[in-house]
Amino acid sequence: MNTSNLQASCSGRELLPSTPSHQWTPRRLTRRGVRRAAGVEQLLRRSTTGPQKPLHLKQASVAAAALSTNSVSAFKPEPAEEQQSVQGGGGNNQRSATDKVGVLLLNLGGPDTLDDVQPFLYNLFADPDIIRLPGAIKFLQPLLAYALSTARAPKSAEGYASIGGGSPLRSLTQKQADALTVSLREKGLNANVYVGMRYWHPYTEEALEQIKRDNVGRLVILPLYPQFSISTSGSSLRLLEKILKEDQQLQGLRHTVIPSWYQRKGYVGAMADLICQELTKFPDPQNVELFFSAHGVPKSYVEEAGDPYKEEMEECISLIVAEVKRRGYSNHHTLAYQSRVGPVEWLQPYTEDSIMELGKNGTKSMLAVPVSFVSEHIETLEEIDMEYRELAEESGIEHWGRVPALNTNQLFIDDLADAVLEALPYVGMVAKPSDASLVPQGELEALLQAYDRERRALPSPVCVCVCVCVCVAETWNGRLAMVALFVIVTIELATGQPILRTILELD
Ligand SMILES: C=CC1=C(C)c2cc3[nH]c(cc4nc(cc5[nH]c(cc1n2)c(C)c5CCC(=O)O)C(CCC(=O)O)=C4C)c(C)c3C=C
Ligand SMILES: [Fe+2]
């Protein structure tokens, strides 16, 4: 496919040439294009001034939506090794015709055994996108992560023990990768699919080592989270950015990111299929509450840092509900947020409160629909299937069901394959799909910048609770907090008393 073919197949889009890694300097902008690009800057600048709608990130996903509406037939991949990619004008692109294609699936990871639970939790709490400390005490993060992971490990391990002694995430994600490889091959693309986990094996670093060994030249990066959150896809992309920057060999690797994909027809359709299948198991399918339960994030992520997660989640639910309705079910539905950690406020309503409220108001049948994750994991198998089910029964709900995770659902996997094929022409390029889609798709740094400025304003849940316990002051005194935190952790480590656990209400 040459440039003109590509532009024809992506009608309405202006494609910009590849730029040197991590520099977004669109060179072939039209006058109108320049105005539009300025618009991106304006959006980003606007976003630093306070808690507003995260338009810029919204548009990252609109860009993805625009890509995703491109039918596969518009992009006809050539057979395997003869794949032609776009000659976008950049020097690097000259190599693209026979470059090996890789797909990197990003996911959270989970402990394989009970012994892995504490070190897994350590990795999680050591992530500055999960716990943000003010600059002056950043150096304490490893110590804090150690204290928190040690305090939480027994409770977490109990949960993992109840689902078979470890997380099923590793094997399920590998199965998804295998299924995606097959689906891509059936669609004409011979690609290697890699799994890169954020907090456990196989780590993202391990995946990238393999990518180097395999001499991959074009990489499509696909976080396995349908909706974008700073704490999930954002964290993985930030790590990737760091690795790509530091590794000489990887700097030649051209890539593109699919930031979120909750709006894709295949994903929405597969979710609607599963919901309708489960509804038929109830005595009165039309009178079942559709109870969407999403993993929560601290409220400040959305309201202060501009995380688009809530907005994308709400849009996702409305698309699924509309699809379910098209199939003849007009059931009432609720969206609630689960898996809160620590004492700060998370997105509301909380799942447990909603279940009790619905029960109190006379709901007798409930179908739980997990939506923020596409594999079974501890929060579906333990939290929903055990804890919330029990709570529902205690709240007077007589009929209970749960929609299974998509795992390797064929419609879903084929849709992911289509998403990869549609993204492939954008590898190493910056795409400006339409007036409504201004955020560059091509470079990690450009994508990350879309949230980075606001992320700096992100208050840490831990910072907040330490504030409450130590100084109960209106203003944050960094030095005092640093000393206090250090003292607490030291006393806890010395005495074995769970001071932090008590403060953070981790039980
Ligand atoms: C979209 C999904 C997820 C978001 C958003 C998210 C944010 C988030 N999570 C924590 C803390 C923990 N998460 C834990 C496990 C876990 N989290 C997700 C998904 C999201 N997290 C999954 C799929 C899993 C399970 C992995 C598995 O092994 O099956 C855990 C460990 C388990 C436990 O102890 O409960 C913690 C802790 C925070 C603080 C956060 C946002 C800031
Ligand atoms: Fe989580």
Side-chain angles (χ1 to χ4, degrees), residues 252-478:
L253 175 65
R254 287 163 307 119
H255 59 262
T256 193
V257 179
I258 303 174
S260 64
W261 39 270
Y262 64 90
Q263 67 296 73
R264 293 190 63 86
K265 266 201 153 130
Y267 165 73
V268 171
M271 287 299 291
D273 282 351
L274 292 180
I275 291 171
C276 295
Q277 268 165 35
E278 292 303 314
L279 281 176
T280 60
K281 298 178 185 168
F282 284 82
D284 183 6
Q286 297 285 352
N287 270 320
V288 177
E289 179 74 22
L290 293 180
F291 188 80
F292 292 92
S293 188
H295 196 300
V297 293
K299 197 173 159 198
S300 60
Y301 280 45
V302 172
E303 296 195 349
E304 290 162 43
D307 195 333
Y309 180 69
K310 179 171 182 276
E311 198 179 339
E312 293 199 359
M313 187 59 72
E314 287 169 358
E315 197 181 327
C316 173
I317 302 312
S318 63
L319 289 170
I320 295 173
V321 168
E323 190 56 39
V324 168
K325 194 169 183 188
R326 259 193 289 281
R327 293 162 195 222
Y329 293 100
S330 313
N331 298 41
H332 188 263
H333 75 275
T334 300
L335 166 62
Y337 294 91
Q338 66 177 81
S339 315
R340 203 162 20 120
V341 182
V344 294
E345 191 178 353
W346 283 47
L347 290 182
Q348 302 225 28
Y350 299 139
T351 294
E352 54 270 38
D353 294 348
S354 284
I355 291 175
M356 289 190 285
E357 185 73 14
L358 286 163
K360 203 170 82 190
N361 292 339
T363 297
K364 292 290 166 215
S365 300
M366 182 179 279
L367 178 60
V369 191
V371 268
S372 37
F373 214 62
V374 292
S375 319
E376 297 296 355
H377 61 289
I378 188 167
E379 282 143 10
T380 53
L381 300 170
E382 197 260 342
E383 208 169 350
I384 298 184
D385 288 355
M386 299 179 198
E387 291 180 33
Y388 295 142
R389 182 186 187 140
E390 203 180 307
L391 180 66
E393 283 165 5
E394 284 165 12
S395 307
I397 289 157
E398 292 162 7
H399 305 285
W400 168 268
R402 202 262 289 176
V403 168
L406 287 164
N407 294 337
T408 50
N409 174 291
Q410 199 57 51
L411 181 57
F412 163 60
I413 295 291
D414 287 342
D415 191 45
L416 285 187
D418 288 344
V420 170
L421 293 175
E422 289 156 20
L424 199 53
Y426 297 90
V427 165
M429 303 188 85
V430 173
K432 228 162 27 63
S434 73
D435 278 350
S437 312
L438 301 172
V439 172
Q441 289 278 296
E443 302 293 335
L444 269 183
E445 190 168 77
L447 180 72
L448 284 167
Q449 269 174 7
Y451 76 79
D452 193 28
R453 295 171 201 207
E454 294 195 305
R455 207 185 71 103
R456 281 186 211 126
L458 187 65
S460 150
V462 171
C463 147
V464 173
C465 70
V466 170
C467 242
V468 169
C469 110
V470 175
C471 44
V472 199
E474 291 288 324
T475 51
W476 169 253
N477 180 329

Side-chain angles (χ1 to χ4, degrees), residues 87-229:
Q87 302 297 303
N92 260 352
N93 281 341
Q94 301 305 326
R95 293 187 294 122
S96 64
T98 54
D99 270 359
K100 208 179 239 180
V101 175
V103 178
L104 176 58
L105 300 180
L106 298 174
N107 210 341
L108 188 121
D112 295 319
T113 68
L114 296 184
D115 286 342
D116 300 335
V117 171
Q118 187 274 330
F120 159 76
L121 289 175
Y122 174 87
N123 291 342
L124 190 124
F125 290 127
D127 178 0
D129 283 303
I130 290 282
I131 292 184
R132 296 267 309 152
L133 295 176
I137 58 165
K138 260 193 189 333
F139 70 96
L140 283 177
Q141 182 131 10
L143 195 59
L144 184 64
Y146 179 78
L148 289 173
S149 59
T150 308
R152 192 175 172 89
K155 186 185 174 217
S156 278
E158 224 175 88
Y160 283 109
S162 74
I163 63 165
S167 172
L169 259 185
R170 185 181 191 157
S171 69
L172 287 174
T173 312
Q174 189 52 53
K175 283 185 184 135
Q176 287 169 327
D178 295 342
L180 182 58
T181 310
V182 173
S183 180
L184 283 169
R185 190 160 304 152
E186 283 169 5
K187 290 173 187 285
L189 180 69
N190 209 356
N192 291 356
V193 181
Y194 304 87
V195 172
M197 300 293 197
R198 183 67 183 85
Y199 305 118
W200 203 246
H201 298 282
Y203 289 117
T204 307
E205 290 86 342
E206 296 172 51
L208 285 167
E209 283 304 316
Q210 191 59 46
I211 285 168
K212 282 199 289 190
R213 281 195 291 275
D214 291 347
N215 237 342
V216 168
R218 288 177 287 163
L219 188 67
V220 177
I221 297 161
L222 176 56
L224 277 179
Y225 306 96
Q227 307 85 10
F228 186 98
S229 168

